[in-house]
Amino acid sequence: MIKYTIVSGSLDTSGAFRDYATKKLNKIDTLLKDANADAKLTLEKIEKEYTLTTTLIVQGIRNGVPEKTYKTIVSHEDAYAAVDLSEEKLKRQIRKTLTAVNRDERRLKNLKKVL
């Protein structure tokens, strides 16, 4: 389950933006299964671009894997598009971690069979 904190410096984030961001990032929750996660989204507007910094801290993604931190920084002219890009980047990072963990588990099982 992901706990969200949405921070926007001088911008006033609407309820619609908060709902959209939590809805998009809840898709990541399916990859995490039973892990606990804290997400902090920071939205800033610099000139004509929105910059969204997302930090996701995950505890218990798999057995034997310590706390893991994922971070994305995305700039786009549309704040909603920045959320979409951030979600894609986070998914990619999490899948990479899960693939490495699964690969290591398979290697250990095969090594135990040989020994």
Side-chain angles (χ1 to χ4, degrees):
M1 181 169 189
I2 301 176
K3 296 177 188 172
Y4 298 99
T5 304
I6 299 176
V7 178
S8 58
S10 61
L11 296 173
D12 182 26
T13 55
S14 65
F17 177 78
R18 290 175 185 268
D19 291 342
Y20 184 79
T22 55
K23 179 182 172 186
K24 290 298 277 187
L25 293 177
N26 274 334
K27 293 181 181 180
I28 294 172
D29 206 17
T30 59
L31 291 173
L32 300 176
K33 296 186 180 176
D34 295 331
N36 294 323
D38 295 319
K40 181 180 179 184
L41 285 78
T42 305
L43 183 68
E44 299 173 342
K45 186 172 184 181
I46 302 171
E47 294 180 17
K48 294 184 179 182
E49 282 194 341
Y50 291 95
T51 301
L52 180 68
T53 304
T54 306
T55 306
L56 182 69
I57 302 171
V58 182
Q59 299 95 15
I61 194 166
R62 288 282 195 269
N63 290 337
V65 177
E67 180 177 280
K68 187 82 172 154
T69 302
Y70 302 98
K71 186 174 183 177
T72 63
I73 300 173
V74 178
S75 295
H76 201 274
E77 293 177 356
D78 182 24
Y80 293 93
V83 172
D84 294 341
L85 293 171
S86 180
E87 179 223 356
E88 290 173 13
K89 285 186 175 186
L90 285 172
K91 276 186 179 179
R92 207 172 314 129
Q93 290 176 11
I94 292 169
R95 283 188 187 128
K96 184 177 179 181
T97 300
L98 293 175
T99 300
V101 168
N102 290 335
R103 181 181 55 239
D104 291 344
E105 287 176 356
R106 282 193 307 272
R107 285 181 182 168
L108 282 175
K109 285 182 184 178
N110 290 335
L111 184 61
K112 287 179 182 178
K113 286 180 185 178
V114 170
L115 297 176

